[in-house]
Amino acid sequence: MGLSSEELDKHCQQILSDRRIKNRIVVLCEGEIKDPQGRRSPLAYRRMEQMPDANFYRRCVPESWKQYPPIFFNCGDRLDVINTYFNLLKLNQAKPDNSYLDQDKLFALVDLDIQSQQINNYPFADTESIYYHLYCKYRVIPKQIAEHRILTTGLIHKEAYFILPELQEVFDSSLLSPQYQSNSVSLPDIYLKIANETCHDIDLQKNFDRAIKRINHCQNIDCCAVEKFKHSWNHEFINSSDKQRQKELILTLLTIRKAKKYWEEIKPDSNCNINIERFREQLTLEIGKAYSRQDWNNPENHIASWFKFLYEIA
């Protein structure tokens, strides 16, 4: 259930009146708005960057960005984020004296998802259009990113970035001892499970014609039907020993297959006395720290590339 008009206005007023955003980059992202006590008080907004989603992106800020990094705000679901973006612009223009926002430094980051989300009164008609303008063959297009104020992820969901192959070391070295189905986390095993359950993905079946266009450049992958995609992907992944080819196949999979379910199956060791929400929060922060060290001049690194763009504006 999205924000009502009244809730949206209150949410935006809280952001506009937050002194921390003065002269700062502001990034709106998907995620729960209320604090654990269910409040949306000014104090809750000041603590929002410590909540999941916003907290993850805050941890991803490159280590070299020492002064005045972006301020992140959770804004609900994807449509709520987009509505918040436009409502902030409207309210800021109506009463600029009551706002700390520099609207030239306002951005929104939303999931690509399976379904396309229409966007009115914006240079790009929907999230799918943004995706195709921002990315080519799983790489950010640096010269075009400056044309965007609403950005989509290059993979289907934020959670897809939690299980990319370069993070295997994070899972192996984490003191949280993460487990997947009672075993140490093996990301290749997770990819195979995601692929093998492709035919159970109802959303993908309904939106297959649109989704498959994102990946039809991947060689030797049959994009004619869901079942054929599954079999061809499995064959290529199992029989490839080239790491770059394997990475391409993983990105292909995570561009059209939802990863959240599999991410949520990663749990603490049964001997580890930690709340599951706390465990997941701490693990995402370890992942965010790994992203904060990535080369932001490499367009294969989506998150680092976003921050390079924001840094140049800041």
Side-chain angles (χ1 to χ4, degrees), residues 12-198:
C12 291
Q13 293 292 358
Q14 290 279 16
I15 294 173
L16 292 174
S17 62
D18 192 328
R19 190 183 296 270
R20 296 176 305 146
I21 71 173
K22 186 176 182 180
N23 299 322
R24 301 280 286 276
I25 294 284
V26 173
V27 181
L28 314 175
C29 59
E30 296 183 45
E32 179 61 60
I33 296 174
K34 298 177 183 178
D35 70 7
Q37 285 72 45
R39 297 170 302 188
R40 290 180 183 167
S41 64
L43 179 58
Y45 276 76
R46 287 195 292 274
R47 291 176 174 171
M48 188 171 286
E49 286 198 304
Q50 299 171 18
M51 293 171 63
D53 300 287
N55 201 9
F56 166 69
Y57 286 123
R58 183 173 67 93
R59 185 59 65 96
C60 290
V61 174
E63 291 183 335
S64 58
W65 194 341
K66 303 291 187 183
Q67 292 187 317
Y68 308 114
I71 302 292
F72 298 90
F73 290 97
N74 286 358
C75 295
D77 62 22
R78 181 171 65 167
L79 182 56
D80 285 332
V81 174
I82 293 170
N83 287 339
T84 299
Y85 173 82
F86 287 109
N87 203 46
L88 282 172
L89 293 180
K90 183 183 74 172
L91 295 174
N92 189 66
Q93 290 166 359
K95 295 184 177 180
D97 293 339
N98 297 332
S99 169
Y100 288 104
L101 178 68
D102 179 346
Q103 64 184 45
D104 291 331
K105 295 183 177 181
L106 176 65
F107 298 88
L109 175 60
V110 297
D111 286 342
L112 173 61
D113 216 329
I114 280 287
Q115 298 88 358
S116 181
Q117 175 63 56
Q118 182 179 346
I119 307 176
N120 297 322
N121 302 314
Y122 188 68
F124 298 88
D126 51 36
T127 49
E128 205 77 8
S129 301
I130 294 173
Y131 167 75
Y132 283 112
H133 193 256
L134 270 177
Y135 304 93
C136 180
K137 296 182 179 180
Y138 316 122
R139 298 164 69 94
V140 174
I141 307 174
K143 66 180 181 180
Q144 291 175 189
I145 195 170
E147 298 180 41
H148 296 268
R149 288 299 181 269
I150 300 173
L151 292 81
T152 71
T153 55
L155 302 177
I156 190 163
H157 286 156
K158 173 187 83 276
E159 287 80 8
Y161 291 96
F162 296 167
I163 57 171
L164 287 180
E166 54 265 37
L167 299 173
Q168 184 65 62
E169 183 178 344
V170 174
F171 291 107
D172 292 343
S173 61
S174 175
L175 297 178
L176 296 168
S177 301
Q179 304 276 298
Y180 183 78
Q181 298 183 339
S182 302
N183 293 305
S184 297
V185 175
S186 169
L187 292 177
D189 289 346
I190 295 178
Y191 306 142
L192 287 168
K193 186 172 177 62
I194 294 174
N196 286 327
E197 294 182 351
T198 296

Side-chain angles (χ1 to χ4, degrees), residues 145-280:
I145 195 170
E147 298 180 41
H148 296 268
R149 288 299 181 269
I150 300 173
L151 292 81
T152 71
T153 55
L155 302 177
I156 190 163
H157 286 156
K158 173 187 83 276
E159 287 80 8
Y161 291 96
F162 296 167
I163 57 171
L164 287 180
E166 54 265 37
L167 299 173
Q168 184 65 62
E169 183 178 344
V170 174
F171 291 107
D172 292 343
S173 61
S174 175
L175 297 178
L176 296 168
S177 301
Q179 304 276 298
Y180 183 78
Q181 298 183 339
S182 302
N183 293 305
S184 297
V185 175
S186 169
L187 292 177
D189 289 346
I190 295 178
Y191 306 142
L192 287 168
K193 186 172 177 62
I194 294 174
N196 286 327
E197 294 182 351
T198 296
C199 296
H200 303 320
D201 189 334
I202 303 302
D203 279 346
L204 178 58
Q205 292 178 17
K206 290 180 178 178
N207 298 276
F208 187 72
D209 289 344
R210 179 195 303 114
I212 209 68
K213 292 177 183 177
R214 303 171 185 170
I215 63 167
N216 59 13
H217 55 79
C218 189
Q219 293 184 349
N220 301 325
I221 296 299
D222 193 328
C223 296
C224 293
V226 173
E227 185 77 20
K228 290 182 177 180
F229 166 80
K230 182 188 82 169
H231 288 304
S232 61
W233 189 94
N234 263 327
H235 180 269
E236 288 293 306
F237 188 71
I238 292 170
N239 291 286
S240 176
S241 58
D242 180 79
K243 288 188 176 181
Q244 191 61 35
R245 172 59 173 166
Q246 287 185 339
K247 177 68 177 291
E248 180 188 21
L249 290 166
I250 293 162
L251 296 176
T252 295
L253 183 67
L254 296 180
T255 300
I256 66 170
R257 282 286 282 122
K258 297 178 181 178
K260 186 173 182 178
K261 166 188 171 183
Y262 304 94
W263 158 250
E264 291 180 346
E265 290 179 7
I266 297 176
K267 299 177 180 179
D269 185 281
S270 58
N271 296 320
C272 184
N273 186 23
I274 185 173
N275 175 278
I276 185 64
E277 286 77 18
R278 179 65 174 167
F279 163 81
R280 198 163 285 133

